[in-house]
Amino acid sequence: MSLSSGPIEAVVFDVGKVLFQWDLRCLFEKLIDDRAELDWFLANVVTVEWHFEHDAGRLLADMAAERTALFPDHGELIQAYTTRFNESIPGPVPGSLELVEALDVAGVPLYAITNFGDEFWQVFRPTQPVFDRFRDVVVSGVEKLVKPDPAIYALAAKRFGHAPEAMLFIDDNRDNIESARACGWQAHHFHDAETLAADLRARGLIA
């Protein structure tokens, strides 16, 4: 484990796959019984790559209309994506919310930078009181900037009011981690809450 020598003033989390599990399959396995058809649908119709267009700021209505025109036989399933997205988030990543609580209790300022569509965030955020512990959340779909674009880290540093080198950024995506480090942030490449907890203890942020 490589630690920067500088003190940490704030901790900045990613949301998907760090705080909360996310898998489009969790929604569509309820709607498509045949495994081969489900695999085809997720590889060709409602794909992760297509979903990321909403993360980047595209409106759901525009995306759904365009996709339905391409796959008219799957219109109802595409519509389900727009209205039942929270079902693709089955629950917290084990142990992560407890670390958020421990940091908050210790008085560490908490923030987040998430690639998350604006419309989906407006539906998901109210269901999760853990975000009440966060002082600010930069949402890609609102800002129309996505990780790993250095511009989103510059915006976050300005909003959060801490120097990049004084913040610890936690993300599961290696490209996002490498971009943050190139922008001067300290970073932890997330694999599981146990490993993160050890890093946070080593940095003196939690007991």
Side-chain angles (χ1 to χ4, degrees):
M1 185 185 302
S2 176
L3 302 182
S4 168
S5 60
I8 295 295
E9 297 175 359
V11 173
V12 182
F13 283 89
D14 176 31
V15 175
K17 299 187 178 180
V18 172
L19 296 179
F20 289 91
Q21 302 171 63
W22 176 67
D23 189 341
L24 289 168
R25 185 175 296 270
C26 293
L27 166 60
F28 288 106
E29 67 185 2
K30 301 175 184 178
L31 304 174
I32 302 173
D33 293 330
D34 182 82
R35 176 64 179 269
E37 182 183 351
L38 174 62
D39 290 345
W40 179 88
F41 179 83
L42 293 173
N44 295 279
V45 185
V46 174
T47 68
V48 170
E49 293 76 17
W50 177 70
H51 161 80
F52 284 159
E53 294 181 21
H54 185 45
D55 286 354
R58 286 198 69 194
L59 295 175
L60 279 177
D62 293 345
M63 290 174 57
E66 179 181 273
R67 212 63 168 175
T68 300
L70 288 174
F71 300 97
D73 293 341
H74 295 85
E76 289 187 10
L77 292 172
I78 294 167
Q79 187 62 29
Y81 161 81
T82 70
T83 59
R84 297 175 59 177
F85 178 77
N86 277 5
E87 294 175 57
S88 70
I89 306 172
V93 171
S96 287
L97 300 194
E98 290 81 358
L99 293 178
V100 170
E101 181 179 4
L103 287 163
D104 188 35
V105 169
V108 178
L110 298 174
Y111 303 91
I113 306 172
T114 181
N115 282 356
F116 214 117
D118 181 17
E119 293 166 83
F120 285 156
W121 180 252
Q122 298 305 323
V123 174
F124 176 68
R125 164 63 182 88
T127 70
Q128 301 299 333
V130 67
F131 292 110
D132 294 341
R133 297 181 182 272
F134 287 71
R135 301 188 182 192
D136 195 3
V137 179
V138 168
V139 179
S140 66
V142 175
E143 307 302 337
K144 295 182 172 55
L145 294 170
V146 294
K147 297 175 293 185
D149 185 343
I152 199 168
Y153 299 104
L155 172 68
K158 182 177 180 180
R159 283 246 302 257
F160 300 164
H162 298 272
E165 62 270 19
M167 291 186 284
L168 176 65
F169 175 63
I170 301 160
D171 199 295
D172 67 297
N173 183 293
R174 182 175 295 279
D175 289 342
N176 297 343
I177 288 293
E178 291 179 354
S179 181
R181 285 176 173 154
C183 293
W185 296 60
Q186 298 189 53
H188 174 97
H189 186 196
F190 183 86
H191 296 285
D192 56 68
E194 183 178 3
T195 306
L196 174 58
D199 190 355
L200 297 174
R201 291 189 189 102
R203 296 173 185 270
L205 295 169
I206 60 174

